[in-house]
Structure formats: C-alpha cells, structure tokens
Amino acid sequence: MSTTAQPFTDLPHLADALRTLGYALVRPQDVARLAGCRLDDLYALAPSWDQLEPDLYLKDGGHYRRRRHSCFVDHGGVLAQAPHRAHWQPVEYNALHGGMHRLFEPIEGKTVVRPVWSKLLRALGEVCSAVKGRQPWYVEAHQFRIDTTEGIGRPTPEGAHRDGVDFVAVLLVDRHNIKGGETRVFEADGPDGKRFTMLEPWTMLLLDDAAVIHESTPIQPTGPNGHRDTLVLTWRAGAFQGADAQ
C-alpha cells in the first residue's frame, strides 16, 4: 500500500478510472460541475447533519455514530423516493452488522426536496450507467456523523469491506476538530492499495464495489465537538439489497 497525496481524477476520465482502477477521487468543484450546481448549493445541505439520530444498532458497544437513511429509484434519469425501508446487508459483506434489518430514521424531507439533492444523485447515476449500461438503479442514501465524545469514533467499524452493490460514493461533508479518518482503498483481487485523507468538504470518492475494498481509519478529537460528516450513496442494479430478505 502506498501513501499519496489525494489522487484526484479529472471529470473526463471519471468512467475510465472506475473501469481500470476501480475508484476515482473527485475534487469538490468537479462534484458541483458534474451535478450542474454551485458548490454553495452543496454546502447548503450541511446543516441537515446536525439533525441526525443516534445509530442504535452498533454491535461494538459504541455511541459515536448518528445517521439517517432513505432509498430512491433512478429510472431513465427520473429519480423517485422509494417507500421507507430497513437497510440490510449479508454477513458476507458486513461481518459486524450483516443479517440485521436496521431501520433508521429517514432523511428529512426538506433535504430531499432541495434541487441539488436530485441533481447530485441523478448525475452520479449517469456515471454508473456510463460504466455498466443504462438501467434502473436502486439507490440508498446514508447521512453519517461520527463523533469523538467517547474519545474515538469509527467511520467503518466493520473494517475493510465491500457493500454488496454496484457502485459506492463517499462524499465528505465536514471535518471538525479531528485527526485521523484516513481513507484506504484496496484491490479486491490484488496487492495494490492507496491511502489518503479527504480534507475539503464535498470531496468525493467513487468506487466500483466489485473491484475494490475500502475503509476509513478511526478519528480522534483535537478540540471540542470533534466529528466527521459524510454522505454515502450506493447504486445497485435489479433491486435493493435484501429485497427478498425483508
């Protein structure tokens, strides 16, 4: 594994990077450009992270994670919110929390109705279609806040993992009074890996979930109210994960 500066991918090479490397790291300005919005429009989403609810399912005994979760279907560029449902993953992809039907509070309606929300999700759905063909995409959206009130917070308590979907986007929303939170991306079937730390809000890591494994290292406080906020989006063809298990 090599430690590098943030290995950004330019927008014209985004789909090629996913095909060849299995991941792409995108600058905040390019995320806004891809979504057809202003960077300020993305920043305007950030206050909703102050309204997240405690994650009551953590099996490591921690109380460092707050979140909300909602589902959408992107069909031909038309994004529709799906009825609220539990999040489910098999143990093969999440050894810590797999096999559990975890019903979280939905993302607030005032967040979902913002034009920038649908612009972002639809634009990223177009990237997914450019790589694997146009089709309906079953999209899950997770708002996370990892805090340091217990001295340490774990963005990925399950460790290095895949999510069992086609594509994953991890967007940094905020880092406040913390150190750590290094992102690590490994080849799923090879020795290569990269590690870097996303620092600027609305930096995005986009992953081909079949090609790579990913994790983020724990965070520690450097001042009061230390936390790391992210938006994690997943795209899956065919159906929501666990649709036949609920």
Side-chain angles (χ1 to χ4, degrees):
M1 171 174 286
S2 60
T3 303
T4 67
Q6 297 176 88
F8 288 116
T9 298
D10 294 328
L11 284 185
H13 307 298
L14 189 55
D16 285 341
L18 288 171
R19 293 188 192 101
T20 58
L21 300 175
Y23 74 93
L25 186 67
V26 185
R27 299 175 181 85
Q29 297 87 344
D30 284 340
V31 174
R33 190 174 297 114
L34 181 68
C37 67
R38 301 174 305 154
L39 193 54
D40 284 349
D41 296 328
L42 292 170
Y43 272 90
L45 293 172
S48 65
W49 268 257
D50 292 330
Q51 308 303 320
L52 305 190
E53 297 292 333
D55 183 339
L56 302 178
Y57 296 94
L58 286 171
K59 292 178 71 175
D60 63 0
H63 301 88
Y64 51 81
R65 185 159 75 181
R66 305 176 73 88
R67 69 192 294 178
R68 287 180 181 269
H69 167 253
S70 289
C71 296
F72 304 83
V73 179
D74 185 349
H75 197 314
V78 177
L79 186 73
Q81 188 164 3
H84 194 51
R85 64 197 314 278
H87 177 53
W88 186 90
Q89 293 174 293
V91 293
E92 291 83 1
Y93 292 108
N94 189 329
L96 186 61
H97 297 116
M100 301 172 63
H101 293 103
R102 293 179 286 165
L103 186 63
F104 302 106
E105 290 297 314
I107 296 173
E108 292 182 305
K110 63 184 179 182
T111 300
V112 172
V113 298
R114 284 182 175 269
V116 66
W117 180 267
S118 57
K119 286 181 178 181
L120 177 64
L121 270 62
R122 283 185 295 175
L124 291 172
E126 287 295 316
V127 177
C128 297
S129 293
V131 177
K132 292 198 173 179
R134 187 170 297 279
Q135 58 196 293
W137 291 108
Y138 293 81
V139 186
E140 296 194 48
H142 307 259
Q143 291 179 298
F144 288 103
R145 169 165 289 179
I146 308 300
D147 67 44
T148 56
T149 56
E150 297 176 323
I152 192 170
R154 296 177 175 85
T156 53
E158 64 273 36
H161 66 284
R162 291 164 55 204
D163 286 318
V165 296
D166 287 280
F167 298 97
V168 180
V170 181
L171 296 110
L172 179 70
V173 176
D174 187 30
R175 287 176 59 99
H176 180 73
N177 284 346
I178 61 166
K179 61 182 179 179
E182 179 184 74
T183 297
R184 298 177 176 180
V185 181
F186 310 85
E187 286 181 336
D189 298 309
D192 193 28
K194 298 291 183 184
R195 61 188 191 187
F196 48 86
T197 303
M198 295 193 291
L199 298 172
E200 189 176 354
W202 295 102
T203 300
M204 178 180 69
L205 176 64
L206 188 57
L207 305 163
D208 180 336
D209 191 55
V212 295
I213 299 168
H214 65 281
E215 67 175 340
S216 296
T217 62
I219 60 172
Q220 294 177 282
T222 60
N225 191 30
H227 63 263
R228 180 178 186 262
D229 294 347
T230 55
L231 173 63
V232 176
L233 305 167
T234 66
W235 288 261
R236 190 172 189 266
F240 290 112
Q241 190 167 213
D244 56 354
Q246 300 185 39

